[in-house]
Amino acid sequence: MVLQYGTPSTMRWNAKTYDSSFGYVSALGAPLVDLLDPRQGERVLDLGCGTGALTAEISMRGAQVLGIDGSPAMIEKALAGYPGLDFIVGDGHDFGVAEPYDAVFSNAALHWMSRDPDMVIANVHEALIPGGRFIAEMGGAGNCAALIAAMSTAWREHGLREPDLPWYFPTPAEYAQRLEKAGFTVRLLEYFDRPTPLDECPAGASDWVRMFAGTPLANVPADLVEPLLRRVDELAAPALRTESGWMADYVRLRFAAVRR
Ligand SMILES: C[S@@+](CC[C@H](N)C(=O)[O-])C[C@H]1O[C@@H](n2cnc3c(N)ncnc32)[C@H](O)[C@@H]1O
């Protein structure tokens, strides 16, 4: 059964193409599972679990894991792919748990929970036992700057208002302050560039926009979508198209914090 907490109403994810074209997101999350270092029998919550690849990896290392995601399509795919595991639909801003967890894990998802980051952190705090770990990686300040600049210019050139972007990409200082204020001790915080090959996205920037900027794209008149995306490719190409293919200009924030 798919239980449902509040679902973010603006969320549009193509769960079908996520693994085939954007499976690199989970693949690049493997070192984060090492940082989590799940132990036999401990309870772990995977927040923004997507199609469940890392949830399954955590389970294989012996933990009891629950995956939560705001997208019903992602949860359906996770349930189909990993029938032995528990997944529920829920919003990072207002999920609740019956029994607290030893750790909350989150890969490439917190920057999507942008309505109120403090609320998300407070929920995670509430979901943990004292001493529980919050291990996560998310987009940091400057993430996808060239992709976003290409989008803004293309939208403007087509006479459209600049897109409302759905992400929150904090600086390390800003996010550490939020964590500390909410009752976490920050044990590790890394902020680094991670140029990421878009190997499975033949059209490059426009494929990325279709998958990750579905909400701003949905507000574009249908006849403008294709020319707009072609222009995004043209504008992004000088910065992001290399001889070996397209590279996304990812900047990541990775942290380990402990509930005080
Ligand atoms: C880029 S995917 C990452 C998925 C997975 N963690 C992985 O590593 O492949 C981001 C996920 O965050 C989820 N998400 C976005 N906003 C959310 C919210 N407010 N509450 C819960 N999940 C959310 C999306 O549905 C999506 O599955």
Side-chain angles (χ1 to χ4, degrees):
M1 182 171 63
V2 182
L3 284 177
Q4 208 152 325
Y5 294 113
T7 305
S9 56
T10 54
M11 199 167 294
R12 291 162 189 275
W13 284 91
N14 187 337
K16 286 198 189 107
T17 53
Y18 180 79
D19 287 337
S20 53
S21 297
F22 297 90
Y24 66 81
V25 176
S26 329
L28 291 169
L32 194 65
V33 180
D34 292 336
L35 183 62
L36 170 69
D37 189 19
R39 293 158 214 162
Q40 194 66 35
E42 75 173 356
R43 287 161 44 78
V44 176
L45 190 151
D46 181 2
L47 182 59
C49 62
T51 52
L54 293 175
T55 324
E57 174 68 27
I58 294 167
S59 163
M60 264 166 33
R61 299 209 199 175
Q64 287 175 42
V65 60
L66 168 70
I68 295 189
D69 199 280
S71 156
M74 289 296 213
I75 289 296
E76 244 174 64
K77 185 133 196 257
L79 283 165
Y82 307 101
L85 300 186
D86 293 326
F87 294 99
I88 57 173
V89 176
D91 185 343
H93 294 88
D94 64 13
F95 70 94
V97 297
E99 231 187 288
Y101 283 76
D102 297 297
V104 172
F105 172 91
S106 184
N107 182 56
L110 291 174
H111 52 264
W112 289 96
M113 302 176 200
S114 54
R115 180 162 53 80
D116 186 342
D118 288 328
M119 211 174 187
V120 175
I121 294 171
N123 267 325
V124 171
H125 188 268
E126 194 60 31
L128 284 168
I129 58 166
R133 314 178 319 276
F134 182 16
I135 309 292
E137 187 175 307
M138 65 191 291
N143 191 48
C144 297
L147 283 162
I148 290 171
M151 280 178 69
S152 297
T153 305
W155 256 246
R156 259 199 329 270
E157 285 181 0
H158 284 78
L160 301 167
R161 202 167 53 83
E162 286 206 13
D164 286 329
L165 300 175
W167 312 294
Y168 165 60
F169 298 137
T171 65
E174 183 185 336
Y175 208 77
Q177 204 179 19
R178 289 188 193 275
L179 288 166
E180 292 283 350
K181 198 179 68 190
F184 284 98
T185 301
V186 178
R187 289 278 167 78
L188 172 131
L189 182 61
E190 293 173 316
Y191 178 52
F192 53 95
D193 289 333
R194 192 174 57 208
T196 301
L198 293 176
D199 287 340
E200 308 296 329
C201 305
S206 54
D207 279 350
W208 185 91
V209 171
R210 280 184 210 275
M211 171 55 83
F212 292 115
T215 307
L217 204 55
N219 296 324
V220 171
D223 57 323
L224 285 188
V225 169
E226 291 308 322
L228 187 77
L229 288 176
R230 268 199 303 279
R231 187 65 183 136
V232 169
D233 281 334
E234 282 166 15
L235 289 162
L240 303 180
R241 193 160 58 198
T242 69
E243 275 182 8
S244 54
W246 285 87
M247 298 287 270
D249 53 340
Y250 281 12
V251 177
R252 299 330 253 181
L253 202 59
R254 179 186 292 168
F255 64 85
V258 173
R259 179 184 163 155
R260 287 199 289 273

